[in-house]
Amino acid sequence: MTQAGVDIEKYCIKRKLNSLQDVRQQVFEETCSSIRKIIDRNTQSNKESEQQLQQEQDALLDDDYQKALAAIENAQNENDLQYPAGYFKGSKYEINILNACQAKMDMEGWAA
């Protein structure tokens, strides 16, 4: 009941029970079933929220990636490449960004 967000004391007061031990077996089983449904709905809602948040974060990262490619293309010196390379470290775009930075360095003759 606690996991489902049900206040046990209020539940008992509303049903004129001294405690959960006063609940008849049939009512107990119905109550448990209802609570399981609440928990399942909460779990599903949390999963959906997490998925939506992940999609939003992915979209932001995709947008940042496109901006970084433009910044790399417009870089005026080798130092301008440090931020994009560091920002995407550990992300799915890390290799692509590093390759773009290396290509820009090669093209500009900045590579040692």
Side-chain angles (χ1 to χ4, degrees):
M1 293 180 89
T2 302
Q3 185 180 0
V6 176
D7 184 315
I8 296 172
E9 185 177 343
K10 288 181 182 177
Y11 175 87
C12 290
I13 291 170
K14 183 177 178 180
R15 287 158 184 81
K16 297 181 174 125
L17 303 170
N18 293 323
S19 72
L20 290 178
Q21 293 174 351
D22 292 344
V23 178
R24 291 187 325 266
Q25 185 65 32
Q26 178 186 0
V27 173
F28 177 77
E29 289 172 7
E30 291 170 1
T31 301
C32 287
S33 177
S34 296
I35 290 171
R36 283 187 200 102
K37 288 178 185 176
I38 291 170
I39 292 170
D40 290 344
R41 279 195 307 266
N42 290 346
T43 301
Q44 183 63 29
S45 177
N46 289 341
K47 285 180 184 178
E48 290 170 0
S49 294
E50 287 174 13
Q51 288 173 343
Q52 181 178 359
L53 181 60
Q54 185 62 48
Q55 289 171 349
E56 290 170 3
Q57 289 175 340
D58 287 346
L60 289 172
L61 186 63
D62 292 346
D63 188 48
D64 287 347
Y65 173 69
Q66 294 304 319
K67 289 176 184 174
L69 290 177
I72 291 168
E73 184 178 328
N74 296 322
Q76 298 298 310
N77 59 58
E78 190 174 348
N79 291 336
D80 292 343
L81 303 176
Q82 290 178 359
Y83 180 76
Y87 182 82
F88 288 96
K89 189 168 185 74
S91 76
K92 66 182 181 179
Y93 292 118
E94 179 180 13
I95 299 298
N96 294 350
I97 290 293
L98 292 176
N99 288 341
C101 288
Q102 186 63 52
K104 177 66 174 182
M105 290 172 52
D106 292 345
M107 186 175 75
E108 298 293 338
W110 298 334

